[in-house]
Amino acid sequence: MVALSDISLVTQVAVLGNKKAFDKLVVKYQSPVRRFFLHQTLGDSQLSDDLAQETFIKAYVNIRQFRGTASFSTWLMRIAYNVFYDHRRKVESEGWKVEGDYRAADTPPSALHASPSTLKMDIYAALALLKPDERTCITLQLIDGQPIDEIAKITGMPAGTVKSHLSRGKEKLKTYLIQNGYDR
């Protein structure tokens, strides 16, 4: 079976209303979108699922606006970024704290002895120290492997701003992890 390109699937959805073609796009991109939200929400899987669902609904409703000037994945991640940004703004306007309330353990294990769940908690604790834009840039580059120009397209930030967020974010992560027993 020949895999259809994203453009072909988008065309089938936009022109023919082919819901099965959109299902293929969802299957292809649900893991990266959900992973993006998991890192932005510091591991809140229920919220991540809700935000991912909202992202795909918005993508389906607005698929005719996709112009192909960027890849479909960049367009979709831009929607995901906007969904998270809107969620963050709404939560902040209601007086809730968006960043996690993680605290380093008194005697954290070294990375060599950390269980996978402990390491995951420490990474989320480190990510919680970052400003939201730093966290977004860090996770898009270090976890999703996006190049700076794609991060700039997804977030709408200039490439220089993305580089600044990456530099500051990496320094904060490094400092936190070293202070908490993780070797260089």
Side-chain angles (χ1 to χ4, degrees):
M1 183 175 161
V2 176
L4 296 173
S5 72
D6 289 351
I7 297 296
S8 174
L9 293 170
V10 168
T11 302
Q12 288 181 35
V13 176
V15 176
L16 305 173
N18 184 340
K19 291 180 182 173
K20 289 187 181 198
F22 189 74
D23 288 345
K24 290 179 183 178
L25 289 168
V26 170
V27 167
K28 182 175 180 179
Y29 291 108
Q30 66 186 351
S31 291
V33 168
R34 187 172 184 273
R35 183 177 53 244
F36 169 76
F37 286 126
L38 273 172
H39 296 302
Q40 299 313 303
T41 63
L42 305 171
D44 186 334
S45 59
Q46 186 174 7
L47 178 57
S48 297
D49 289 344
D50 291 346
L51 295 171
Q53 182 177 13
E54 185 177 340
T55 297
F56 285 108
I57 290 169
K58 286 186 178 206
Y60 182 77
V61 169
N62 296 299
I63 202 152
R64 286 187 177 95
Q65 294 176 9
F66 176 71
R67 298 287 174 242
T69 56
S71 67
F72 178 76
S73 63
T74 299
W75 183 77
L76 183 64
M77 291 306 291
R78 176 70 182 171
I79 293 172
Y81 174 79
N82 287 334
V83 164
F84 183 72
Y85 183 81
D86 290 345
H87 166 75
R88 192 174 80 206
R89 221 178 13 197
K90 178 182 176 222
V91 168
E92 287 173 348
S93 73
E94 293 172 355
W96 292 93
K97 185 177 177 189
V98 176
E99 283 75 22
D101 190 21
Y102 296 95
R103 298 287 178 257
D106 292 334
T107 54
S110 99
L112 298 174
H113 299 87
S115 70
S117 62
T118 301
L119 180 59
K120 189 178 202 179
M121 287 173 46
D122 284 345
I123 290 172
Y124 284 141
L127 287 172
L129 297 174
L130 304 179
K131 293 179 180 176
D133 287 338
E134 292 170 346
R135 183 169 48 244
T136 297
C137 292
I138 287 288
T139 58
L140 285 172
Q141 186 188 56
L142 297 182
I143 297 170
D144 295 338
Q146 296 285 351
I148 289 171
D149 62 326
E150 287 297 306
I151 297 170
K153 289 176 188 174
I154 290 168
T155 62
M157 296 176 200
T161 303
V162 170
K163 289 177 185 177
S164 295
H165 286 312
L166 287 169
S167 177
R168 282 191 301 272
K170 287 176 183 177
E171 190 59 37
K172 288 178 184 178
L173 289 175
K174 177 182 166 186
T175 300
Y176 173 84
L177 292 171
I178 288 172
Q179 287 175 347
N180 286 283
Y182 291 87
D183 301 324
R184 285 181 147 226

